């Protein structure tokens, strides 16, 4: 898949095929992909062989689309964007510091 052929609908549909949430790490994407391929691979699947083959093909195609998107995604290194993408506990701590750090009560 060529990165120029990506559009939001294609990426979103691929993420749905893989069962991805709104925010996932590369490790989460790979883990989910492996689980789906293992489940639907024709050698392991209990369903009709043709159905399993088609589903495996759909999963592999979706994974390729998602990985092309992730590989060519332009990451922001603005401080606010970095904070927004941190784990919740760290993000909350940063928001707390931003809101109350200059308050003499907290010094």
């Amino acid at each position: 898949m060529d990165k120029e052929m990506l559009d939001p609908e294609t990426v979103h549909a691929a993420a749905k095929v893989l069962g991805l949430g709104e925010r996932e790490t590369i490790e989460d994407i790979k883990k989910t992909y492996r689980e789906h391929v293992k489940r639907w691979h024709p050698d392991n699947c209990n369903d009709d062989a043709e159905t399993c083959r088609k589903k495996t093909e759909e999963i592999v195609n979706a994974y390729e689309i998602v990985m092309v998107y992730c590989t060519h995604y332009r990451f922001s290194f603005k401080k606010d964007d970095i904070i927004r993408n941190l784990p919740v506990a760290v993000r909350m701590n940063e928001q707390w510091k931003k809101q109350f750090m200059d308050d003499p009560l907290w010094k």
Side-chain angles (χ1 to χ4, degrees):
M1 155 110 345
D2 189 14
K3 70 178 180 178
E4 281 77 29
M5 296 181 68
L6 290 179
D7 61 74
E9 290 79 23
T10 302
V11 175
H12 183 72
K16 282 184 76 170
V17 167
L18 295 174
L20 300 175
E22 289 185 12
R23 297 169 87 64
E24 302 284 357
T25 65
I26 294 293
E27 291 84 15
D28 293 336
I29 295 167
K30 290 178 180 180
K31 179 182 176 194
T32 302
Y33 165 72
R34 285 190 297 269
E35 290 170 356
H36 279 64
V37 166
K38 184 177 180 180
R39 154 75 174 94
W40 286 100
H41 192 279
D43 292 344
N44 301 327
C45 186
N46 295 327
D47 293 353
D48 169 45
E50 184 62 20
T51 301
C52 296
R53 187 193 64 72
K54 285 182 180 179
K55 187 66 175 175
T56 300
E57 190 175 293
E58 179 184 27
I59 292 165
V60 169
N61 185 44
Y63 178 73
E64 289 175 358
I65 291 168
V66 168
M67 292 309 289
V68 167
Y69 169 73
C70 291
T71 301
H72 296 288
Y73 182 80
R74 292 195 173 265
F75 295 92
S76 171
F77 294 99
K78 292 186 329 187
K79 187 173 181 181
D80 287 341
D81 291 340
I82 292 169
I83 291 170
R84 193 175 13 262
N85 287 308
L86 291 172
V88 173
V90 178
R91 188 171 60 234
M92 296 304 291
N93 188 42
E94 289 297 318
Q95 289 174 341
W96 181 268
K97 287 192 301 188
K98 183 177 180 181
Q99 187 172 357
F100 298 111
M101 190 57 94
D102 292 334
D103 191 323
L105 179 65
W106 301 106
K107 287 189 177 195

